[in-house]
């Protein structure tokens, strides 16, 4: 057994005390640092978008509940359209903000602006119907849905490559 112990001790002493990596790790570390910095800047854009969406929802909710107190029953029907005007104005501001934030990002498709125009046309048709019946909750929900589709289209078309599946 002593011979075995001597051979084992000799073998152990011959092994290098430092473990060397099989490949250069700096490249992976550099990519990891770069992607973390990129993630931080893209999450700032995302948080701005969420803030804009939250502000939109808050504005619509406040206007929705404040509208009955702000308007008297004998006022004309066009005054009931103030909520729709406020929603439209808020939507336009949000779309402009998103487009400005994605200005330097190339779009993933070519015809996205045509799709955005079609959604704009749909919103115009719904708003025209709401002029005749500004208290129609189904039409208001439809308009809100079209506005959400516009925002989703802009975000989807300008999604960073790392978010795509």
């Amino acid at each position: 057994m002593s011979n075995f112990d001597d051979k084992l001790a000799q073998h152990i002493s011959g092994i290098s005390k430092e473990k060397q990596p099989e490949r250069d790790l700096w490249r992976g570390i550099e990519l990891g640092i770069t992607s973390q910095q990129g993630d931080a800047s893209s999450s700032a854009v995302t948080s701005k978008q969420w803030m804009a969406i939250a502000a939109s929802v808050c504005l619509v909710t406040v206007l929705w509940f404040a509208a009955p107190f702000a308007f008297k029953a004998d006022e004309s029907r066009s005054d009931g359209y103030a909520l729709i005007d406020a929603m439209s104005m808020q939507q336009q501001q949000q779309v402009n903000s998103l487009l400005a934030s994605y200005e330097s990002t190339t779009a993933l498709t070519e015809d996205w602006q045509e799709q955005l125009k079609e959604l704009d046309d749909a919103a115009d048709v719904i708003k025209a119907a709401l002029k005749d019946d500004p208290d129609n909750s189904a039409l208001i929900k439809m308009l809100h849905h079209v506005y959400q589709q516009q925002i989703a289209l802009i975000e989807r078309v300008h999604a960073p490559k790392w978010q795509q599946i």
Side-chain angles (χ1 to χ4, degrees):
M1 279 299 221
S2 161
N3 191 17
F4 177 74
D5 290 337
D6 291 336
K7 285 184 180 181
L8 181 61
Q10 222 177 16
H11 185 62
I12 290 174
S13 66
I15 296 176
S16 173
K17 302 235 189 280
E18 277 189 38
K19 172 78 173 145
Q20 296 293 323
E22 295 173 8
R23 59 185 172 94
D24 183 21
L25 298 178
W26 176 245
R27 185 173 193 147
I29 293 169
E30 184 179 26
L31 287 173
I33 291 171
T34 305
S35 72
Q36 284 178 353
Q37 290 172 348
D39 290 348
S41 65
S42 65
S43 67
V45 170
T46 304
S47 65
K48 288 179 187 175
Q49 292 169 352
W50 281 111
M51 292 291 281
I53 291 169
S56 300
V57 170
C58 288
L59 176 68
V60 169
T61 304
V62 167
L63 289 174
W64 184 266
F65 287 111
F69 302 111
F71 303 113
K72 296 178 185 165
D74 61 342
E75 290 180 331
S76 69
R77 300 280 284 170
S78 64
D79 287 341
Y81 195 73
L83 173 65
I84 309 310
D85 283 338
M87 278 178 60
S88 298
M89 192 172 7
Q90 181 69 23
Q91 173 68 10
Q92 191 59 47
Q93 289 173 347
Q94 191 172 356
V95 165
N96 291 343
S97 173
L98 276 175
L99 290 175
S101 70
Y102 288 129
E103 198 170 50
S104 63
T105 308
T106 56
L108 300 176
T109 62
E110 298 296 322
D111 66 341
W112 72 274
Q113 290 175 332
E114 293 171 22
Q115 294 173 15
L116 191 63
K117 174 73 171 108
E118 289 173 5
L119 288 170
D120 243 358
D121 293 344
D124 289 342
V125 169
I126 295 169
K127 287 191 285 188
L130 279 165
K131 283 193 182 204
D132 295 333
D133 189 8
D135 298 325
N136 187 328
S137 63
L139 288 174
I140 293 171
K141 287 177 185 177
M142 286 173 63
L143 181 63
H144 181 69
H145 182 69
V146 168
Y147 286 162
Q148 286 177 329
Q149 285 179 323
Q150 285 178 328
I151 299 300
L153 172 68
I154 294 169
E155 289 175 342
R156 190 173 54 244
V157 165
H158 292 91
K161 295 213 184 276
W162 60 267
Q163 286 183 337
Q164 299 171 15
I165 294 177

